[in-house]
């Protein structure tokens, strides 16, 4: 804490326990004492993803334009944060693979002007890609639904067919620096942001 500015950390790697849908360490809030009560404000935005396969080890969201969405951030009592950390955030299970279902990934509020890149890693070393070059807004105290993130182009961990080899060679053109993707599904008609909290008596509620 320096003056009225607070340094917080939005985990770049987030872990969910069995039966849980979000890493509680990612749900960063700040509070201000007012009239002998503490008014809390959410700091983060949430991305909602749906996993529909049993073999997904992790899901990573990356801002194509390099916007910072996790790591160290500074904020005031209003919860508005400035992040200087990483351009990506990863969700994984504490043990084993992610169970089928919906998950929430905490991110620093940001506008990903060049869109986002989503990669799901499978237990056999495969990868599933989804990419959008449309601007994506992660607003504080709101949730952005990303849909079923495993509905993308899959690169298997073991190449057995000519088609898989061709797909792997094409995916090799992915530029990690620029996040230019030739393989993957464009996330058209992305859903709009929805509030994930209600303000009541000066408090933000998850």
């Amino acid at each position: 804490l320096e003056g009225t500015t607070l340094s917080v950390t939005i985990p770049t790697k987030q872990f969910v326990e069995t039966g849980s849908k979000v890493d509680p360490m990612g749900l960063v809030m700040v509070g201000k004492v007012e009239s002998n009560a503490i008014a809390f404000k959410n700091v983060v935005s949430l991305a909602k993803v749906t996993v529909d396969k049993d073999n997904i080890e992790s899901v990573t969201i990356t801002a194509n334009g390099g916007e910072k969405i996790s790591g160290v951030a500074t904020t005031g009592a209003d919860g508005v944060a400035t992040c200087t950390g990483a351009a990506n955030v990863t969700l994984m299970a504490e043990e084993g693979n992610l169970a089928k279902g919906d998950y929430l990934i905490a991110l620093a509020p940001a506008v990903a002007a060049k869109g986002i890149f989503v990669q799901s890693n499978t237990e056999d070393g495969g990868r599933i890609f989804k990419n959008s070059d449309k601007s994506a807004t992660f607003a504080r105290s709101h949730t952005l639904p990303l849909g079923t993130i495993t509905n993308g182009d899959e690169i298997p961990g073991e190449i057995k067919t000519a088609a898989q080899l061709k797909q792997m060679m094409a995916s090799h053109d992915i530029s990690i620096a620029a996040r230019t993707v030739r393989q993957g599904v464009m996330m058209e008609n992305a859903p709009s942001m929805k509030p994930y909290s209600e303000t009541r008596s000066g408090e933000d509620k998850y």
Side-chain angles (χ1 to χ4, degrees):
L1 178 66
E2 183 176 343
T4 58
T5 300
L6 180 69
S7 178
V8 299
T9 299
I10 302 166
T12 299
K13 290 186 177 181
Q14 299 177 22
F15 299 88
V16 290
E17 298 179 351
T18 302
S20 178
K21 301 302 180 185
V22 64
D23 183 347
M25 297 298 293
L27 301 179
V28 180
M29 303 180 76
V30 293
K32 181 181 180 181
V33 177
E34 295 179 344
S35 301
N36 297 322
I38 301 178
F40 288 96
K41 293 289 183 181
N42 298 321
V43 172
V44 300
S45 176
L46 296 175
K48 180 181 179 181
V49 298
T50 300
V51 173
D52 65 344
K53 297 185 178 183
D54 293 320
N55 64 340
I56 303 299
E57 288 187 334
S58 64
V59 178
T60 298
I61 301 172
T62 300
N64 290 335
E67 295 87 356
K68 308 306 182 185
I69 57 175
S70 70
V72 176
T74 55
T75 183
D78 57 1
V80 178
T82 300
C83 186
T84 57
N88 58 80
V89 60
T90 297
L91 179 75
M92 61 190 72
E94 281 281 4
E95 296 183 4
N97 298 333
L98 292 168
K100 290 182 180 180
D102 297 332
Y103 293 92
L104 296 172
I105 303 174
L107 310 91
V111 176
K114 296 183 179 180
I116 57 174
F117 179 84
V118 181
Q119 176 175 316
S120 302
N121 291 330
T122 62
E123 62 184 358
D124 63 355
R127 293 164 291 167
I128 301 172
F129 300 109
K130 293 184 74 173
N131 183 71
S132 174
D133 60 2
K134 293 183 178 180
S135 178
T137 299
F138 296 104
R140 186 190 71 81
S141 204
H142 282 65
T143 298
L144 179 63
L146 298 182
T148 304
I149 46 78
T150 51
N151 287 342
D153 270 358
E154 184 167 0
I155 310 299
E158 182 179 357
I159 305 300
K160 297 181 179 179
T161 68
Q164 290 175 341
L165 177 61
K166 182 178 179 180
Q167 187 179 34
M168 184 195 72
M169 295 301 291
S171 73
H172 217 60
D173 290 338
I174 295 174
S175 169
I176 299 301
R179 290 299 187 272
T180 301
V181 183
R182 287 182 56 181
Q183 294 294 319
V185 174
M186 300 300 292
M187 290 182 282
E188 302 289 351
N189 303 318
S192 59
M193 296 290 291
K194 297 179 180 179
Y196 70 80
S197 63
E198 298 290 339
T199 301
R200 183 176 60 192
S201 300
E203 296 185 39
D204 277 357
K205 301 291 184 181
Y206 281 99

